[in-house]
Amino acid sequence: MRLLVVEDDHTIAEPLVTGLRREGFEVDLAVTGAAALEADPADLVLLDLGLPDLDGRVVCQELRKRSTVPIIVVTARGDEIDRVMLLELGADDYVVKPFGFRELVARIRAVMRRIDAPAATPPDHVTGFDGLTIDRRTRRVSLDGSEVALTPKEYDLVVELASDPGAIFTREYLIENVWDKNWWGSTKTLDVHIASIRKKLDPELIETVRGVGFRLAARQGDS
Ligand code: CA
């Protein structure tokens, strides 16, 4: 496991890096905020907020923008800091200087355990969007964990829309791809199917783009 220690004070950095290496971690040291932002990807970042070049809070936000790497913020006693601010910055935990080495290692391991919790990455044949889950292997659709029974055409429509959530699919495209290139029936068929899907799933999940078509949209109601 690779740690990135961002600390400009070498009287802290040196024993810290040595100690962490002794614990079995691979450790990179960055002594400025700029160096931290240029460092190789790490499995966890230990970030001192008081840096010579950049505001540590900005470094934290920047790191968070580019990756989900766990970040433990190191603050000096007396820093104006609270949990809410740390969460807003994207930090996972914090320690206050002076901290005990044992305590720090325990925090690192605790954060890593939380991160290592079973990966929520779905397999390739599963598409997920805002509570909607489509298993293309079994052709099953569920919303917020409850299975929803769709007709084959309804299912095909949902799969089509979910292939690119948020993108607008024109009526013509949907009719050609879900029904037939030479479909000559009423396009009302599409509206009837959309209405039925909305009723079965959630009306907010499929948005009508007037005069154009439809798209999958995040629901406003909950989370
Ligand atoms: Ca410092």
Side-chain angles (χ1 to χ4, degrees):
M1 201 181 107
R2 190 190 190 87
L3 303 182
L4 173 64
V5 173
V6 187
E7 174 62 74
D8 60 305
D9 183 343
H10 68 94
T11 64
I12 294 173
E14 274 170 26
L16 185 57
V17 168
T18 307
L20 289 171
R21 285 188 178 141
R22 209 172 285 145
E23 287 292 315
F25 298 108
E26 277 182 57
V27 186
D28 288 333
L29 175 66
V31 296
T32 62
L37 294 177
E38 281 164 16
D40 291 335
D43 299 307
L44 185 140
V45 179
L46 205 60
L47 174 66
D48 177 29
L49 281 194
L51 294 168
D53 57 338
L54 299 171
D55 186 331
R57 291 170 297 184
V58 173
V59 175
C60 189
Q61 281 173 314
E62 280 301 314
L63 287 171
R64 178 53 72 240
K65 266 188 220 161
R66 21 186 113 173
S67 84
T68 57
V69 65
I71 300 171
I72 299 178
V73 160
V74 180
T75 72
R77 187 179 304 213
D79 273 358
E80 296 262 327
I81 193 128
D82 61 54
R83 284 197 159 270
V84 175
M85 186 194 99
L86 284 167
L87 282 179
E88 282 169 0
L89 294 177
D92 297 273
D93 199 358
Y94 73 99
V95 290
V96 179
K97 285 178 183 174
F99 49 83
F101 182 71
R102 285 287 129 213
E103 181 201 350
L104 177 66
V105 171
R107 295 288 186 91
I108 291 173
R109 297 205 193 281
V111 167
M112 291 314 293
R113 267 198 304 278
R114 284 210 300 273
I115 307 299
D116 280 346
T121 317
D124 284 348
H125 59 269
V126 176
T127 305
F129 175 75
D130 196 23
L132 176 71
T133 308
I134 302 167
D135 187 333
R136 291 189 304 284
R137 198 166 44 83
T138 57
R139 292 179 65 93
R140 283 187 173 166
V141 174
S142 60
L143 187 69
D144 299 330
S146 316
E147 197 173 334
V148 180
L150 298 179
T151 67
K153 285 296 182 211
E154 288 168 358
Y155 171 84
D156 291 343
L157 256 179
V158 169
V159 167
E160 204 60 69
L161 291 170
S163 68
D164 193 357
I168 299 171
F169 290 83
T170 64
R171 304 175 63 88
E172 295 73 25
Y173 179 92
L174 290 172
I175 287 169
E176 277 188 23
N177 283 276
V178 174
W179 279 270
D180 189 84
K181 277 208 178 349
N182 304 309
W183 173 258
W184 47 268
S186 163
T187 65
K188 280 278 169 241
T189 302
L190 175 60
D191 297 287
V192 169
H193 279 76
I194 293 282
S196 174
I197 295 168
R198 279 184 172 140
K199 202 180 286 176
K200 289 178 178 178
L201 293 171
D202 184 318
E204 288 190 336
L205 205 53
I206 299 177
E207 186 186 321
T208 303
V209 183
R210 213 169 281 281
V212 185
F214 302 93
R215 66 176 188 161
L216 217 57
R219 292 174 288 165
Q220 307 294 313
D222 45 27
S223 69

